[in-house]
Amino acid sequence: MKHTEKRARYQAIKADVLQRIRDNIWPPGTLMPGEIELAKEFDCARATVNRAMRELAEEGVIDRKRKSGTRVKTSPTRQAKFTIPLIRREIETAGKSYRYALIHREQQAAPRWLCGRLGLPSAAQVLHLQCMHYADGSPFQYETRWINISAVPEAKDESFETTGPNEWLINQVPFTDAELTFSAASATKDIAAMMSLEIGASLLTSERTTWLSAVPVTYAQFYFHQSYKMTTRI
């Protein structure tokens, strides 16, 4: 069935392909249509199909070979997978109301520590954002983020007043690589005030860096309220 209402995003293509595999339309061992053929069917760019197929290959669902094409794996690889959902969707899925607030937005020269971490030139410009995410009016996540403007020039014109940077980036900019780090931390004075916690309270923190073809896109730090839970599936 050809998608004609709007050009499909890679998430929709990925979900459609996976459903066909699960429904045995493309059973194990099947040689799948090529990217050009799928791009025509889904009315999208070949690069969009490529991203969907690449993720399915990384998840062990399909086997891609340059000269022999793409086949559904006869024995899908099982692997640990951690999915970072949109914080808005996560809160709403829990049956709570979501609210977002931009605390600070500033275009600035990249700090020296950030240049060192991401390999940015000393003259690099970044957009620094500080945001709060609330569940039923209570603090849920504090986010501080740096966006590499040379990689995402559109960010300069985005206010981020109504949409958080994570959600905006997911919809606007693909990435090819990501690094995630999780750790425990104690709330500093500023973070405790943001999160309505006592100074020194225990928090789960996360750091995330993403790249697009070796070009750093963004570095973010997240501080989760004590009620936060993380789940991984194998």
Side-chain angles (χ1 to χ4, degrees):
M1 179 178 68
K2 187 164 183 173
H3 295 237
T4 57
E5 292 183 2
K6 61 180 180 179
R7 297 174 72 83
R9 290 181 177 173
Y10 86 95
Q11 297 100 326
I13 297 171
K14 179 182 174 182
D16 196 314
V17 169
L18 189 58
Q19 191 60 51
R20 295 182 195 186
I21 293 172
R22 288 172 175 168
D23 290 344
N24 222 34
I25 294 172
W26 292 331
T30 297
L31 180 64
M32 299 172 61
E35 290 181 0
I36 295 175
E37 184 177 345
L38 288 173
K40 289 180 180 178
E41 176 183 353
F42 287 102
D43 188 24
C44 67
R46 181 177 177 179
T48 307
V49 172
N50 179 271
R51 181 174 179 185
M53 302 300 276
R54 185 175 70 244
E55 288 196 2
L56 287 171
E58 290 171 353
E59 292 167 12
V61 177
I62 61 176
D63 186 23
R64 304 175 78 199
K65 293 184 178 178
R66 187 171 183 179
K67 293 185 178 181
S68 56
T70 300
R71 291 184 181 273
V72 180
K73 277 197 171 182
T74 53
S75 299
T77 304
R78 298 196 65 181
Q79 55 183 299
K81 178 185 175 183
F82 181 79
T83 301
I84 302 177
L86 291 174
I87 196 68
R88 171 183 57 79
R89 187 175 302 161
E90 184 176 1
I91 290 171
E92 292 176 345
T93 298
K96 299 180 180 181
S97 62
Y98 170 73
R99 181 168 66 86
Y100 159 80
L102 176 66
I103 307 300
H104 175 79
R105 180 191 186 281
E106 180 185 5
Q107 182 176 332
Q108 62 181 83
R112 185 177 299 177
W113 67 265
L114 186 63
C115 290
R117 187 182 187 94
L118 299 184
L120 296 172
S122 58
Q125 288 287 303
V126 293
L127 190 64
H128 183 209
L129 302 159
Q130 293 171 284
C131 321
M132 279 297 301
H133 305 270
Y134 298 88
D136 282 349
S138 298
F140 189 84
Q141 183 195 80
Y142 168 65
E143 172 184 355
T144 179
R145 180 183 294 271
W146 288 262
I147 299 175
N148 178 14
I149 289 178
S150 65
V152 196
E154 301 89 344
K156 292 190 300 182
D157 301 319
E158 178 62 37
S159 69
F160 295 102
E161 289 284 350
T162 58
T163 303
N166 185 55
E167 190 164 349
W168 183 85
L169 284 163
I170 287 174
N171 290 324
Q172 296 290 327
V173 185
F175 66 89
T176 54
D177 299 280
E179 179 181 276
L180 300 171
T181 302
F182 298 92
S183 60
S186 298
T188 63
K189 180 179 178 180
D190 290 342
I191 293 174
M194 290 281 192
M195 302 292 287
S196 297
L197 295 170
E198 294 184 359
I199 297 174
S202 297
L203 293 171
L204 173 67
T205 69
S206 172
E207 297 176 72
R208 187 191 316 162
T209 307
T210 59
W211 293 266
L212 177 60
S213 300
V215 177
V217 174
T218 182
Y219 169 72
Q221 297 170 312
F222 305 93
Y223 298 84
F224 300 91
H225 198 272
Q226 293 163 321
S227 61
Y228 182 78
K229 292 195 302 183
M230 179 180 64
T231 302
T232 185
R233 302 183 70 179
I234 297 177

